[in-house]
């Protein structure tokens, strides 16, 4: 597998949003969702919102931007599984809602039940 295009995108994301847009446009073999996930992990949530169509990824990007209501709109149609529950708990925490801790506890329980190690780690932190 040729990772050079992804490496180019990672480097561009680390430099600037405008540069990342240019690199992404020139890389047709890079998936939108893969690029969106990279953008989120490299601290570019606005690019994540441009590139992603996946509700969980978009909700996470909105939360990184402090856009709680937008994140909740993305999460509304999703099931009550661990990852959406985790993001709902994060939204409640950002909004300063008293039920945030109970929602986080519920997300950890779901992550354990589902065997979702990634969600469990995120819920623990």
């Amino acid at each position: 597998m040729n990772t050079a295009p992804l490496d180019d995108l990672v480097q561009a994301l680390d430099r600037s949003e405008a540069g990342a847009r240019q690199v992404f446009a020139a890389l047709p073999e890079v998936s939108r969702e893969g690029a969106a996930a990279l953008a989120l992990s490299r601290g570019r949530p606005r690019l994540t919102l441009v590139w992603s169509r996946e509700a969980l990824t978009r909700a996470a990007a909105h939360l990184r931007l402090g856009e709680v209501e937008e994140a909740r709109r993305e999460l509304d149609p999703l099931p009550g599984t661990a990852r959406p529950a985790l993001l709902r708990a994060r939204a409640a925490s950002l909004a300063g809602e008293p039920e945030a801790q109970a929602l986080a506890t519920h997300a950890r329980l779901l992550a354990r039940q589902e065997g979702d190690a990634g969600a469990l780690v995120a819920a623990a932190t």
Side-chain angles (χ1 to χ4, degrees):
M1 181 174 116
N2 182 9
T3 61
L6 287 180
D7 293 341
D8 291 345
L9 184 57
V10 167
Q11 290 174 11
L13 285 164
D14 288 346
R15 285 191 305 268
S16 74
E17 190 170 306
R21 286 175 185 265
Q22 289 176 333
V23 170
F24 177 75
L27 298 174
E29 68 273 11
V30 175
S31 81
R32 291 182 70 86
E33 292 306 322
L38 270 176
L40 189 60
S41 73
R42 305 308 278 196
R44 303 281 182 192
R46 293 203 186 284
L47 285 178
T48 300
L49 292 171
V50 171
W51 294 338
S52 180
R53 291 184 174 88
E54 203 278 317
L56 279 176
T57 304
R58 291 180 58 77
H62 281 300
L63 291 173
R64 291 264 177 97
L65 293 166
E67 299 170 347
V68 173
E69 292 311 312
E70 291 86 344
R72 286 181 169 153
R73 278 193 287 280
E74 297 283 354
L75 294 168
D76 278 347
L78 299 180
T81 56
R83 291 187 184 230
L86 174 63
L87 292 176
R88 288 180 181 113
R90 179 72 179 134
S93 176
L94 285 174
E97 296 169 354
E99 66 272 9
Q101 184 61 43
L103 290 171
T105 300
H106 179 68
R108 281 193 297 277
L109 175 66
L110 289 173
R112 282 189 199 104
Q113 289 174 345
E114 294 170 20
D116 189 336
L120 184 56
V121 169
T125 58

